[in-house]
Amino acid sequence: MLADMAIEAGLPEGVLSIMPAGRENSAYLAAHPGLDKVAFTGSTAGGKAVLAAAAPNLTRVTLELGGKSAAIILPDADLASTVKGLLPNAYMNNGQACVAQTRVLVHRDRYTETVEAFAEEVRGLKTGDPLDRETAVGPLVAERQRDRVESYIAKGSARARVWWSGAGGRRAWTAAGTSSRRCSPTWTTAW
C-alpha cells in the first residue's frame, strides 16, 4: 500500500524501496555498500544489529525502537485537557503501538491530582468488542500478549507503593486498565 501511494504520488523509480525481510536478508541489506540510508522500526536489539551492520559503510540510519518518551506535565498545565489529550495516545490500538504514551512525568505539586484525573478517565473507558463504536479498549493481539501485559501488571503491583485500577477484565484477550505509580524509571512497569 505504501509503495502504491509512492508511485501514485510520482516518486521516481528507485528512490524508495520497501522490503519486508527476515533477519538474514535484513543484515545483508543493512550492510550493503550501495545504500544511502536505512530506516528500521523494531526492537532495541534489532536496531543495534542494523546500526552495527551499516556502520562500516557510514550509511545513514534512522531507528524507531518504540522509545518510551515521557509526557511531562508542568505545574501550570490545564490538567483536564492534558489528561484527555494523553489518554488516547496511551490506549490507541489497545496500547499496542510503538508510539503509545507509556510514561507521564508530573510535577510533585500536581501529582495526586493528576493520578486521580487519569484514574477517573480510565475508569470511564469501555472494554469489549472492537467493532462496537462505544468500545475504547478492545482485545490484545494474542493471548500471549495479554499474558505478557498481565505479567507486567503483576510485577508493578508487587513493587508499587500505590496501585490503581480502571475498567478491565479477561473477556477475549483484554487486560485490566491499570497503572502503577511511584515506580523507579528502570522498572518495566514504570509509567
Side-chain angles (χ1 to χ4, degrees):
M1 180 188 284
L2 182 59
D4 292 336
M5 291 185 330
I7 292 167
E8 188 176 311
L11 197 65
E13 187 175 321
V15 172
L16 174 67
S17 298
I18 302 169
M19 297 178 269
R23 286 185 178 161
E24 187 176 314
N25 290 338
S26 296
Y28 172 79
L29 289 169
H32 197 281
L35 291 179
D36 292 321
K37 168 97 176 175
V38 176
F40 174 79
T41 301
S43 69
T44 300
K48 287 179 180 179
V50 167
L51 196 57
N57 299 316
L58 298 178
T59 303
R60 289 176 294 151
V61 177
T62 299
L63 303 174
E64 169 50 59
L65 306 179
K68 300 298 179 191
S69 300
I72 300 171
I73 300 178
L74 299 175
D76 63 346
D78 173 357
L79 196 55
S81 64
T82 300
V83 170
K84 286 187 185 303
L86 289 174
L87 203 61
N89 296 316
Y91 287 95
M92 74 171 105
N93 197 32
N94 309 315
Q96 301 170 106
C98 66
V99 295
Q101 188 69 62
T102 58
R103 293 188 305 146
V104 178
L105 304 178
V106 182
H107 191 277
R108 74 182 78 232
D109 293 347
R110 302 289 303 274
Y111 177 78
T112 300
E113 178 187 10
T114 302
V115 169
E116 290 170 358
F118 270 102
E120 185 62 30
E121 289 294 323
V122 170
R123 279 188 207 87
L125 296 178
K126 179 183 176 196
T127 60
D129 183 345
L131 298 177
D132 178 350
R133 289 188 179 275
E134 299 298 314
T135 296
V137 181
L140 297 172
V141 70
E143 186 174 8
R144 67 179 161 73
Q145 185 64 11
R146 186 214 49 216
D147 293 346
R148 180 180 181 199
V149 169
E150 288 185 346
S151 78
Y152 292 162
I153 292 168
K155 288 175 189 175
S157 64
R159 292 179 169 171
R161 290 186 219 158
V162 180
W163 190 261
W164 61 263
S165 176
R170 289 190 60 96
R171 211 176 38 226
W173 291 324
T174 60
T178 57
S179 177
S180 54
R181 32 185 252 190
R182 295 190 185 177
C183 292
S184 163
T186 59
W187 294 353
T188 304
T189 54
W191 193 75

